[in-house]
mmCIF file with all atom_site columns, all heavy atoms in Angstrom:
data_model
loop_
_atom_site.group_PDB
_atom_site.id
_atom_site.type_symbol
_atom_site.label_atom_id
_atom_site.label_alt_id
_atom_site.label_comp_id
_atom_site.label_asym_id
_atom_site.label_entity_id
_atom_site.label_seq_id
_atom_site.pdbx_PDB_ins_code
_atom_site.Cartn_x
_atom_site.Cartn_y
_atom_site.Cartn_z
_atom_site.occupancy
_atom_site.B_iso_or_equiv
_atom_site.pdbx_formal_charge
_atom_site.auth_seq_id
_atom_site.auth_comp_id
_atom_site.auth_asym_id
_atom_site.auth_atom_id
_atom_site.pdbx_PDB_model_num
ATOM 1  N N   . ASP A 1 99  ? 81.136 77.223 61.824 1.00 90.00 ? 99  ASP A N   1
ATOM 2  C CA  . ASP A 1 99  ? 80.608 77.811 60.597 1.00 90.00 ? 99  ASP A CA  1
ATOM 3  C C   . ASP A 1 99  ? 81.689 78.634 59.902 1.00 90.00 ? 99  ASP A C   1
ATOM 4  O O   . ASP A 1 99  ? 82.800 78.796 60.420 1.00 90.00 ? 99  ASP A O   1
ATOM 5  C CB  . ASP A 1 99  ? 79.392 78.693 60.903 1.00 90.00 ? 99  ASP A CB  1
ATOM 6  C CG  . ASP A 1 99  ? 79.757 79.841 61.832 1.00 90.00 ? 99  ASP A CG  1
ATOM 7  O OD1 . ASP A 1 99  ? 79.786 79.634 63.078 1.00 90.00 ? 99  ASP A OD1 1
ATOM 8  O OD2 . ASP A 1 99  ? 80.037 80.929 61.326 1.00 90.00 ? 99  ASP A OD2 1
ATOM 9  N N   . ARG A 1 100 ? 81.359 79.167 58.749 1.00 90.00 ? 100 ARG A N   1
ATOM 10 C CA  . ARG A 1 100 ? 82.332 79.922 57.951 1.00 90.00 ? 100 ARG A CA  1
ATOM 11 C C   . ARG A 1 100 ? 82.214 81.434 58.122 1.00 90.00 ? 100 ARG A C   1
ATOM 12 O O   . ARG A 1 100 ? 82.821 82.186 57.368 1.00 90.00 ? 100 ARG A O   1
ATOM 13 C CB  . ARG A 1 100 ? 82.154 79.559 56.471 1.00 90.00 ? 100 ARG A CB  1
ATOM 14 C CG  . ARG A 1 100 ? 82.420 78.083 56.170 1.00 90.00 ? 100 ARG A CG  1
ATOM 15 C CD  . ARG A 1 100 ? 82.259 77.795 54.692 1.00 90.00 ? 100 ARG A CD  1
ATOM 16 N NE  . ARG A 1 100 ? 82.529 76.391 54.384 1.00 90.00 ? 100 ARG A NE  1
ATOM 17 C CZ  . ARG A 1 100 ? 82.445 75.868 53.175 1.00 90.00 ? 100 ARG A CZ  1
ATOM 18 N NH1 . ARG A 1 100 ? 82.089 76.638 52.142 1.00 90.00 ? 100 ARG A NH1 1
ATOM 19 N NH2 . ARG A 1 100 ? 82.709 74.577 52.979 1.00 90.00 ? 100 ARG A NH2 1
ATOM 20 N N   . GLY A 1 101 ? 81.450 81.856 59.107 1.00 93.00 ? 101 GLY A N   1
ATOM 21 C CA  . GLY A 1 101 ? 81.215 83.285 59.259 1.00 93.00 ? 101 GLY A CA  1
ATOM 22 C C   . GLY A 1 101 ? 82.102 83.974 60.270 1.00 93.00 ? 101 GLY A C   1
ATOM 23 O O   . GLY A 1 101 ? 81.879 85.154 60.577 1.00 93.00 ? 101 GLY A O   1
ATOM 24 N N   . VAL A 1 102 ? 83.112 83.275 60.789 1.00 95.00 ? 102 VAL A N   1
ATOM 25 C CA  . VAL A 1 102 ? 83.939 83.858 61.846 1.00 95.00 ? 102 VAL A CA  1
ATOM 26 C C   . VAL A 1 102 ? 84.696 85.086 61.356 1.00 95.00 ? 102 VAL A C   1
ATOM 27 O O   . VAL A 1 102 ? 84.743 86.117 62.028 1.00 95.00 ? 102 VAL A O   1
ATOM 28 C CB  . VAL A 1 102 ? 84.919 82.812 62.412 1.00 95.00 ? 102 VAL A CB  1
ATOM 29 C CG1 . VAL A 1 102 ? 85.887 83.462 63.405 1.00 95.00 ? 102 VAL A CG1 1
ATOM 30 C CG2 . VAL A 1 102 ? 84.152 81.679 63.086 1.00 95.00 ? 102 VAL A CG2 1
ATOM 31 N N   . ALA A 1 103 ? 85.303 84.991 60.178 1.00 95.00 ? 103 ALA A N   1
ATOM 32 C CA  . ALA A 1 103 ? 86.071 86.123 59.653 1.00 95.00 ? 103 ALA A CA  1
ATOM 33 C C   . ALA A 1 103 ? 85.170 87.337 59.439 1.00 95.00 ? 103 ALA A C   1
ATOM 34 O O   . ALA A 1 103 ? 85.543 88.471 59.764 1.00 95.00 ? 103 ALA A O   1
ATOM 35 C CB  . ALA A 1 103 ? 86.754 85.728 58.339 1.00 95.00 ? 103 ALA A CB  1
ATOM 36 N N   . GLU A 1 104 ? 83.985 87.086 58.913 1.00 96.00 ? 104 GLU A N   1
ATOM 37 C CA  . GLU A 1 104 ? 83.045 88.188 58.683 1.00 96.00 ? 104 GLU A CA  1
ATOM 38 C C   . GLU A 1 104 ? 82.615 88.823 60.002 1.00 96.00 ? 104 GLU A C   1
ATOM 39 O O   . GLU A 1 104 ? 82.544 90.050 60.125 1.00 96.00 ? 104 GLU A O   1
ATOM 40 C CB  . GLU A 1 104 ? 81.827 87.661 57.928 1.00 96.00 ? 104 GLU A CB  1
ATOM 41 C CG  . GLU A 1 104 ? 80.788 88.735 57.620 1.00 96.00 ? 104 GLU A CG  1
ATOM 42 C CD  . GLU A 1 104 ? 79.588 88.167 56.880 1.00 96.00 ? 104 GLU A CD  1
ATOM 43 O OE1 . GLU A 1 104 ? 79.664 87.014 56.413 1.00 96.00 ? 104 GLU A OE1 1
ATOM 44 O OE2 . GLU A 1 104 ? 78.574 88.882 56.777 1.00 96.00 ? 104 GLU A OE2 1
ATOM 45 N N   . ASP A 1 105 ? 82.334 87.973 61.000 1.00 96.00 ? 105 ASP A N   1
ATOM 46 C CA  . ASP A 1 105 ? 81.916 88.493 62.302 1.00 96.00 ? 105 ASP A CA  1
ATOM 47 C C   . ASP A 1 105 ? 83.060 89.230 63.000 1.00 96.00 ? 105 ASP A C   1
ATOM 48 O O   . ASP A 1 105 ? 82.836 90.230 63.686 1.00 96.00 ? 105 ASP A O   1
ATOM 49 C CB  . ASP A 1 105 ? 81.416 87.359 63.189 1.00 96.00 ? 105 ASP A CB  1
ATOM 50 C CG  . ASP A 1 105 ? 80.036 86.869 62.774 1.00 96.00 ? 105 ASP A CG  1
ATOM 51 O OD1 . ASP A 1 105 ? 79.397 87.523 61.932 1.00 96.00 ? 105 ASP A OD1 1
ATOM 52 O OD2 . ASP A 1 105 ? 79.606 85.822 63.302 1.00 96.00 ? 105 ASP A OD2 1
ATOM 53 N N   . THR A 1 106 ? 84.291 88.738 62.822 1.00 97.00 ? 106 THR A N   1
ATOM 54 C CA  . THR A 1 106 ? 85.436 89.437 63.401 1.00 97.00 ? 106 THR A CA  1
ATOM 55 C C   . THR A 1 106 ? 85.583 90.823 62.795 1.00 97.00 ? 106 THR A C   1
ATOM 56 O O   . THR A 1 106 ? 85.826 91.813 63.510 1.00 97.00 ? 106 THR A O   1
ATOM 57 C CB  . THR A 1 106 ? 86.728 88.628 63.174 1.00 97.00 ? 106 THR A CB  1
ATOM 58 O OG1 . THR A 1 106 ? 86.595 87.345 63.781 1.00 97.00 ? 106 THR A OG1 1
ATOM 59 C CG2 . THR A 1 106 ? 87.929 89.347 63.774 1.00 97.00 ? 106 THR A CG2 1
ATOM 60 N N   . GLU A 1 107 ? 85.406 90.913 61.515 1.00 97.00 ? 107 GLU A N   1
ATOM 61 C CA  . GLU A 1 107 ? 85.477 92.211 60.845 1.00 97.00 ? 107 GLU A CA  1
ATOM 62 C C   . GLU A 1 107 ? 84.361 93.128 61.343 1.00 97.00 ? 107 GLU A C   1
ATOM 63 O O   . GLU A 1 107 ? 84.571 94.337 61.522 1.00 97.00 ? 107 GLU A O   1
ATOM 64 C CB  . GLU A 1 107 ? 85.371 92.013 59.327 1.00 97.00 ? 107 GLU A CB  1
ATOM 65 C CG  . GLU A 1 107 ? 85.597 93.281 58.518 1.00 97.00 ? 107 GLU A CG  1
ATOM 66 C CD  . GLU A 1 107 ? 86.989 93.867 58.709 1.00 97.00 ? 107 GLU A CD  1
ATOM 67 O OE1 . GLU A 1 107 ? 87.932 93.108 59.011 1.00 97.00 ? 107 GLU A OE1 1
ATOM 68 O OE2 . GLU A 1 107 ? 87.123 95.104 58.578 1.00 97.00 ? 107 GLU A OE2 1
ATOM 69 N N   . ARG A 1 108 ? 83.199 92.556 61.585 1.00 95.00 ? 108 ARG A N   1
ATOM 70 C CA  . ARG A 1 108 ? 82.086 93.353 62.095 1.00 95.00 ? 108 ARG A CA  1
ATOM 71 C C   . ARG A 1 108 ? 82.404 93.893 63.486 1.00 95.00 ? 108 ARG A C   1
ATOM 72 O O   . ARG A 1 108 ? 82.115 95.048 63.805 1.00 95.00 ? 108 ARG A O   1
ATOM 73 C CB  . ARG A 1 108 ? 80.808 92.519 62.132 1.00 95.00 ? 108 ARG A CB  1
ATOM 74 C CG  . ARG A 1 108 ? 79.567 93.308 62.552 1.00 95.00 ? 108 ARG A CG  1
ATOM 75 C CD  . ARG A 1 108 ? 78.315 92.459 62.541 1.00 95.00 ? 108 ARG A CD  1
ATOM 76 N NE  . ARG A 1 108 ? 78.010 91.974 61.200 1.00 95.00 ? 108 ARG A NE  1
ATOM 77 C CZ  . ARG A 1 108 ? 78.099 90.708 60.817 1.00 95.00 ? 108 ARG A CZ  1
ATOM 78 N NH1 . ARG A 1 108 ? 78.471 89.778 61.679 1.00 95.00 ? 108 ARG A NH1 1
ATOM 79 N NH2 . ARG A 1 108 ? 77.807 90.355 59.583 1.00 95.00 ? 108 ARG A NH2 1
ATOM 80 N N   . MET A 1 109 ? 83.019 93.054 64.336 1.00 96.00 ? 109 MET A N   1
ATOM 81 C CA  . MET A 1 109 ? 83.394 93.511 65.671 1.00 96.00 ? 109 MET A CA  1
ATOM 82 C C   . MET A 1 109 ? 84.440 94.627 65.611 1.00 96.00 ? 109 MET A C   1
ATOM 83 O O   . MET A 1 109 ? 84.390 95.585 66.382 1.00 96.00 ? 109 MET A O   1
ATOM 84 C CB  . MET A 1 109 ? 83.939 92.332 66.495 1.00 96.00 ? 109 MET A CB  1
ATOM 85 C CG  . MET A 1 109 ? 82.892 91.340 66.956 1.00 96.00 ? 109 MET A CG  1
ATOM 86 S SD  . MET A 1 109 ? 81.571 92.072 67.946 1.00 96.00 ? 109 MET A SD  1
ATOM 87 C CE  . MET A 1 109 ? 80.215 92.056 66.761 1.00 96.00 ? 109 MET A CE  1
#
Side-chain angles (χ1 to χ4, degrees):
D99 61 276
R100 298 181 179 179
V102 174
E104 181 181 348
D105 285 350
T106 301
E107 187 62 27
R108 184 178 297 111
M109 287 303 106

